DNA sequence: AGAGAAGTTTACGTTAACGTAAAAGAGACG
DNA sequence: CGTCTCTTTTACGTTAACGTAAACTTCTCT
């Protein structure tokens, strides 16, 4: 009823995951739904987190790595040294991501050239005329 | 002795993997070392494949997905329809990769803005002067 | 009250991708 | 010949990330 929160089923439909998955993520401290009696109520914060979790998974991060990343997003009021450490970790992660992107670019290029070769093979099979 | 082939240990040292991993990849038909008696000899082809395998893993592909991708790199002399199908699969994979890259770019941007916020918090803690 | 739908806890099962230990063969060397 | 070192096969163990089934509560509706 509260437009701010969602039931477990609403979450599942919205994000295409199973209840088991949401409970599992809670047990691993990736989500923190509040309770109304027995029932879980997922907040806006949980939805934002889940979105990041699913994205992280698509890049091959483990749930534990994702959990650590999520901490960066909800820093809170910590001490300065803690914040500096957090910032360091964040920069490392960012470098991680940018290295991945560079590799991904390479992979895409290689794949495109591979496909060019396949195109050529097809052309030589159907057409017969070679480009050289 | 043959500069063209490498022993299992040489492979492990060169790629920083364990013998178990190489044997496992062979059992899953990702690598095809030749045999000299009992011993495995890894060829140039195996080295090229292993490089692609390790890259694929870094992007969160499963070994089975990687195996299918590798087929694209070693097409051989198949029929035209087979080649066309192969090409289709390759294009799908390429789209996959480019979607991933787009998402990765978003993630990097978001992370950068997050880090900007952390920077601001640090500045306000040490300096005191706010930027607004 | 009875039935059904949605949610909960508890707990065993499953798949992927190796780790790790045991037992044995094959070549090199003093 | 005996001992190393490298490699092999066989096979049970492990972790991550859920799946799946069983046995309750708790509402809601007729």
């Amino acid at each position: 009823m509260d437009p701010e929160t969602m039931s477990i089923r609403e979450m599942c439909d919205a994000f295409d995951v199973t209840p088991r998955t949401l409970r599992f993520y809670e047990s691993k401290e990736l989500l923190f739904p509040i309770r109304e009696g027995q029932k879980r109520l997922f907040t806006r914060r949980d939805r934002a987190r889940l979105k990041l979790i699913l994205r992280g998974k698509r890049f091959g991060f483990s749930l534990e790595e994702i959990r650590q990343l999520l901490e960066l997003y909800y820093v809170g009021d910590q001490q300065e040294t803690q914040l500096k450490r957090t910032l360091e970790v964040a920069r490392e992660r960012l470098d991680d991501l940018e290295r991945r992107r560079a590799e991904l670019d390479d992979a895409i290029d290689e794949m495109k050239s591979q496909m060019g070769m396949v195109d050529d093979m097809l052309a030589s099979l159907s057409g017969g005329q070679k480009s050289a």
Side-chain angles (χ1 to χ4, degrees), chain A residues 7-130:
Chain A
S7 76
I8 197 167
R9 182 110 306 278
E10 290 170 331
M11 285 291 279
C12 293
D13 293 347
F15 291 92
D16 193 36
V17 294
T18 71
R20 170 63 170 141
T21 298
L22 295 179
R23 297 193 191 105
F24 183 73
Y25 289 169
E26 182 185 3
S27 79
K28 292 303 175 105
E29 304 189 73
L30 289 162
L31 297 178
F32 305 96
I34 56 180
R35 294 302 179 103
E36 184 185 60
Q38 278 277 68
K39 315 291 174 73
R40 289 168 174 80
L41 289 183
F42 295 84
T43 67
R44 224 173 52 262
R45 182 165 118 277
D46 291 313
R47 297 194 286 276
R49 277 175 164 262
L50 183 52
K51 194 175 161 190
L52 292 172
I53 293 169
L54 297 179
R55 168 183 291 171
K57 291 204 55 180
R58 265 173 264 130
F59 289 112
F61 286 113
S62 74
L63 289 185
E64 175 54 23
E65 288 172 324
I66 292 173
R67 198 187 58 73
Q68 292 173 27
L69 280 172
L70 282 176
E71 285 179 5
L72 302 180
Y73 285 77
Y74 297 89
V75 176
D77 52 349
Q78 308 176 19
Q79 301 310 314
E80 182 171 2
T81 56
Q82 267 296 329
L83 272 177
K84 276 183 174 160
R85 177 63 195 138
T86 297
L87 192 54
E88 281 173 31
V89 175
R91 289 208 194 286
E92 284 170 23
R93 286 306 178 186
L94 185 54
D95 289 351
D96 246 42
L97 292 182
E98 292 190 324
R99 265 194 297 277
R100 270 170 190 254
R101 180 171 57 184
E103 247 191 305
L104 192 45
D105 284 344
D106 285 358
I108 288 176
D109 284 353
E110 273 188 41
M111 193 147 182
K112 277 183 176 166
S113 75
Q114 276 290 335
M115 288 177 59
M117 291 177 54
V118 176
D119 268 337
D120 288 349
M121 295 182 63
L122 273 175
S124 68
L125 278 179
S126 54
Q129 239 69 341
K130 271 197 164 179

